[in-house]
Amino acid sequence: MAEKLNIGIILGSTREGRVSPQVGQWVKGIADGRGDANYEIVDIADYQLPFLGTTDGSEPGIAKWNEKLASLDGFVFVVQEYNHSISGALKNAIDFAREAWNDKAAGIVSYGSTGGARAAEHLRGILGELKVADVRTHPTLSLFTDFENFSEFKPAELHLTNVTAMLDEVNAWAGALKTVREKQAVNQ
């Protein structure tokens, strides 16, 4: 029996009053019910990353962030749309790692006034540069219909199908890319 994959559900916001923890817990609840991988919430706020390029890079959060990413086989990004893109905090966190992202898979769950679709498209370009294979299925959540008063997450039932399909794809690709990483390690 193959060892279970480790998939991190990355919360892409550090803003006060953010709703990403609610969305992340919802995704994790669905994921845990599957029993096909080890899923965990990875909150970028926990790492207290400085702004890239403003320090000597010795802050302990930077090394811990890279260690966490290296321990994961794939990712599900919970992404909110800020001014038609991802948050500055998420971009900063992504940029604090390089090799730890390589040859892994990712899914995206986004939210915003247009379901966070524009932020997700920006994230896809960034992930491509980091050799992360993003999957096609993309649950999009509306601030108008999936949140009460824009703050209490109450997802429509229809999203369960998309989250399930996305997780199927993330796991398939993460498993395939784990094999690629293992072969590369042997050849080095």
Side-chain angles (χ1 to χ4, degrees), residues 3 73 175-187:
E3 183 179 322
D73 299 305
L177 288 169
K178 184 173 185 174
T179 302
V180 168
R181 291 193 316 278
E182 289 169 349
K183 284 182 180 179
Q184 289 172 343
V186 168
N187 293 332

Side-chain angles (χ1 to χ4, degrees), residues 75 77 104-108 120-138 166 169-170 173 177:
F75 315 98
F77 287 88
K104 296 182 181 177
I108 301 169
E121 288 308 308
H122 282 189
L123 180 58
R124 288 182 194 285
I126 295 164
L127 295 176
E129 175 61 22
L130 295 169
K131 295 173 49 177
V132 175
D134 60 282
V135 302
R136 181 186 177 279
T137 301
H138 167 205
M166 178 207 55
E169 294 171 14
V170 167
W173 279 95
L177 288 169

Side-chain angles (χ1 to χ4, degrees), residues 39-78:
Y39 297 93
E40 67 178 291
I41 299 288
V42 180
D43 189 345
I44 61 174
D46 293 342
Y47 296 87
Q48 299 180 340
L49 297 169
F51 285 112
L52 185 68
T54 61
T55 70
D56 65 3
S58 63
E59 290 82 359
I62 298 169
K64 288 180 180 172
W65 173 242
N66 276 270
E67 289 167 14
K68 174 48 66 185
L69 296 176
S71 75
L72 299 169
D73 299 305
F75 315 98
V76 173
F77 287 88
V78 175

Side-chain angles (χ1 to χ4, degrees), residues 72-132:
L72 299 169
D73 299 305
F75 315 98
V76 173
F77 287 88
V78 175
V79 180
Q80 55 294 315
E81 189 168 304
Y82 288 100
N83 297 322
H84 291 210
S85 192
I86 63 174
S87 71
L90 177 58
K91 179 63 167 89
N92 188 61
I94 289 170
D95 289 346
F96 260 110
R98 183 100 188 143
E99 291 79 17
W101 296 114
N102 294 172
D103 299 316
K104 296 182 181 177
I108 301 169
V109 176
S110 64
Y111 60 92
S113 60
T114 59
R118 297 170 293 209
E121 288 308 308
H122 282 189
L123 180 58
R124 288 182 194 285
I126 295 164
L127 295 176
E129 175 61 22
L130 295 169
K131 295 173 49 177
V132 175

